[in-house]
């Protein structure tokens, strides 16, 4: 069975359409790595009122045979990169925006909890690390925000990139995880502590 390498995401996820601004946009993803393409590639569900559609070049086709049974060993990123990014928040537009609306303690707690980093890819950019419950770093999403509005910079193009694409590692096998998954052990530990306290009472 031969299929295109890229296809529209079959999940129920919807994103902001770059044309009409409504959350009705379905993005294209790679059928092997399940990685989303740049956010400009996709189709708006508002076919009559918007009709935006941007297809990737379908020159590549691949043979897919029971792809769900293929065990792809994921690559991970050196946690040292995460540690190195946890600084220079005076140059981080997203963090500067947070400081205008929340207390210093609240912002610092949020940064530490979610391991929000600073990226040099664009001046003022932020990196959101995808770290699993075993503290393995899957990748990092680099986004440039506007310091004043707190919104993503989309002009002259959407300023979004990925750390695994920037480290020049050949054939990086990406398997994404939920953002904030590294907090799972902490949440479970707190729940167990509360459960023990109730038992003692």
């Amino acid at each position: 069975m031969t299929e295109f390498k890229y296809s529209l995401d079959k999940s129920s996820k919807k994103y902001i359409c770059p044309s009409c601004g409504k959350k009705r946009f379905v993005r294209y993803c790679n059928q092997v790595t399940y990685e989303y393409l740049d956010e400009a590639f996709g189709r708006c569900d508002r076919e009559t009122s918007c009709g935006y559609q941007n297809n990737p070049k379908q020159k590549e086709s691949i043979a897919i045979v029971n792809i769900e049974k293929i065990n792809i060993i994921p690559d991970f990123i050196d946690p040292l990169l995460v540690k190195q990014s946890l600084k220079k928040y005076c140059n981080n537009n997203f963090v500067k925006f947070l400081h205008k609306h929340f207390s210093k303690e609240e912002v610092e707690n949020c940064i530490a909890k979610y391991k929000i980093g600073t990226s040099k890819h664009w001046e003022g950019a932020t990196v959101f690390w995808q770290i699993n419950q075993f503290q393995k770093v899957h990748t990092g999403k680099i986004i440039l925000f506007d310091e004043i509005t707190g919104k993503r910079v989309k002009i002259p193009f959407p300023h979004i990139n990925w750390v695994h694409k920037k480290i020049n590692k050949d054939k990086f096998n990406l398997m994404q995880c939920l953002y904030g998954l590294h907090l799972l052990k902490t949440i479970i530990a707190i729940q167990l502590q509360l459960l023990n306290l109730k038992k003692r009472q």
Side-chain angles (χ1 to χ4, degrees), residues 4-5 7 11-13 41 45 51 59 69 74 86 88 103 117 123 146 148 165 167 187 197-198 201:
F4 286 125
K5 184 174 182 178
S7 70
S11 72
S12 59
K13 291 182 181 179
F41 291 110
D45 280 347
K59 292 181 179 179
K69 295 182 180 179
L86 304 179
K88 295 186 178 180
S103 69
E123 183 66 28
D146 184 280
I148 305 300
K165 290 184 177 180
I167 60 177
I187 294 171
L197 286 173
K198 287 182 178 180
Q201 294 174 351

Side-chain angles (χ1 to χ4, degrees), residues 3 13 27 29 37 64 83 87 90 94 108 112 128 130 140-141 145 154 156 165-167 192:
E3 297 182 1
K13 291 182 181 179
R27 293 175 62 182
C29 61
L37 301 188
I64 303 176
K83 185 176 180 180
K87 56 186 178 182
C90 59
F94 179 70
E108 289 180 349
F128 298 96
Q130 289 186 9
K141 191 171 187 179
F145 292 90
K154 298 181 180 180
K165 290 184 177 180
K166 304 305 298 179
I167 60 177
L192 289 174

Side-chain angles (χ1 to χ4, degrees), residues 145-190:
F145 292 90
D146 184 280
E147 176 186 347
I148 305 300
T149 65
K151 296 181 178 181
R152 291 180 297 167
V153 176
K154 298 181 180 180
I155 299 175
F157 59 89
H159 287 64
I160 295 179
N161 212 320
W162 297 90
V163 173
H164 67 273
K165 290 184 177 180
K166 304 305 298 179
I167 60 177
N168 297 321
K169 185 174 180 179
D170 294 334
K171 297 180 180 179
F172 188 92
N173 292 322
L174 173 66
M175 184 178 292
Q176 295 193 59
C177 71
L178 292 173
Y179 181 69
L181 188 60
H182 65 282
L183 299 173
L184 184 61
K185 283 189 174 181
T186 303
I187 294 171
I188 292 175
I190 293 173

Side-chain angles (χ1 to χ4, degrees), residues 9-167:
D9 186 8
K10 295 180 177 62
S11 72
S12 59
K13 291 182 181 179
K14 296 293 173 67
Y15 296 87
I16 301 298
C17 176
S19 177
C20 66
K22 301 295 184 181
K23 195 173 183 180
R24 297 287 298 277
F25 191 65
V26 181
R27 293 175 62 182
Y28 275 94
C29 61
N30 187 304
Q31 291 300 290
V32 175
T33 64
Y34 300 105
E35 179 182 359
Y36 284 116
L37 301 188
D38 290 343
E39 64 175 14
F41 291 110
R43 183 183 68 191
C44 183
D45 280 347
R46 304 173 75 230
E47 296 179 2
T48 54
S49 55
C50 178
Y52 178 88
Q53 184 167 349
N54 187 10
N55 302 326
K57 293 180 180 179
Q58 294 283 15
K59 292 181 179 179
E60 297 181 71
S61 62
I62 53 174
I64 303 176
V65 182
N66 293 328
I67 192 169
E68 67 276 4
K69 295 182 180 179
I70 298 176
N71 293 320
I72 299 176
I73 300 175
D75 287 320
F76 297 105
I77 290 175
D78 189 343
L80 181 61
L81 290 179
V82 178
K83 185 176 180 180
Q84 291 173 343
S85 75
L86 304 179
K87 56 186 178 182
K88 295 186 178 180
Y89 293 111
C90 59
N91 298 329
N92 190 314
N93 288 358
F94 179 70
V95 173
K96 287 193 283 187
F97 172 78
L98 292 179
H99 275 298
K100 293 177 182 178
H101 298 274
F102 302 95
S103 69
K104 181 180 178 181
E105 183 181 1
E106 287 175 316
V107 174
E108 289 180 349
N109 286 340
C110 181
I111 290 171
K113 185 176 181 180
Y114 288 95
K115 298 186 185 296
I116 299 173
T118 301
S119 172
K120 296 185 292 185
H121 183 59
W122 293 298
E123 183 66 28
T126 304
V127 55
F128 298 96
W129 296 102
Q130 289 186 9
I131 306 172
N132 67 23
Q133 67 271 38
F134 307 109
Q135 304 305 307
K136 295 285 189 179
V137 185
H138 289 246
T139 186
K141 191 171 187 179
I142 304 169
I143 305 177
L144 180 63
F145 292 90
D146 184 280
E147 176 186 347
I148 305 300
T149 65
K151 296 181 178 181
R152 291 180 297 167
V153 176
K154 298 181 180 180
I155 299 175
F157 59 89
H159 287 64
I160 295 179
N161 212 320
W162 297 90
V163 173
H164 67 273
K165 290 184 177 180
K166 304 305 298 179
I167 60 177

